[in-house]
Amino acid sequence: MRTLLLLSLIGALLGIGPGPAVDAAQAAGGCYVTASSATLRSAPSARSTALGVAYRGNRCKEKDWRGGWTKVAMTSGGAKGATGWVRDDLVHTAAEGVRTCIPEDVACHQ
């Protein structure tokens, strides 16, 4: 695992390879809020009740997907412990290759 992580980091620094390294949490459905903020909602709709707000870099665990929305359980930040729906474009995993500026995205921290 350490060798794979080291090779992934070297590849990311050189701009080659599959992208940022994926840790065990991400492999198990871990995600991050990548927008400046994301409103957690009671249902997969912009018209549903707002339950809370998560901010860039807050960690989450994906629970379900429906029509452009992801149901997440927040695992860090002020919304830790809350579960709700957020738009798909507001949360990502490092494995998606999206420039996320999360801790695992080495390219954002150069």
Side-chain angles (χ1 to χ4, degrees):
M1 179 70 174
R2 289 183 182 182
T3 302
L4 179 59
L5 178 60
L6 180 59
L7 291 173
S8 295
L9 290 173
I10 291 170
L13 289 171
L14 296 174
I16 58 173
V22 178
D23 66 19
Q26 292 167 318
C31 56
Y32 293 87
V33 175
T34 53
S36 58
S37 66
T39 302
L40 280 78
R41 299 197 171 272
S42 61
S45 166
R47 294 182 181 182
S48 65
T49 303
L51 302 174
V53 178
Y55 296 94
R56 178 177 286 133
N58 289 170
R59 295 173 187 257
C60 52
K61 183 163 179 68
E62 298 167 321
K63 301 294 224 173
D64 199 3
W65 301 270
R66 190 177 308 155
W69 292 79
T70 302
K71 187 173 188 178
V72 298
M74 298 307 301
T75 59
S76 75
K80 183 177 180 177
T83 298
W85 293 89
V86 295
R87 281 191 353 236
D88 283 346
D89 61 322
L90 305 180
V91 294
H92 294 90
T93 66
E96 290 180 85
V98 174
R99 228 175 155 127
T100 57
C101 289
I102 56 174
E104 287 80 7
D105 193 348
V106 178
C108 288
H109 304 288
Q110 296 179 357

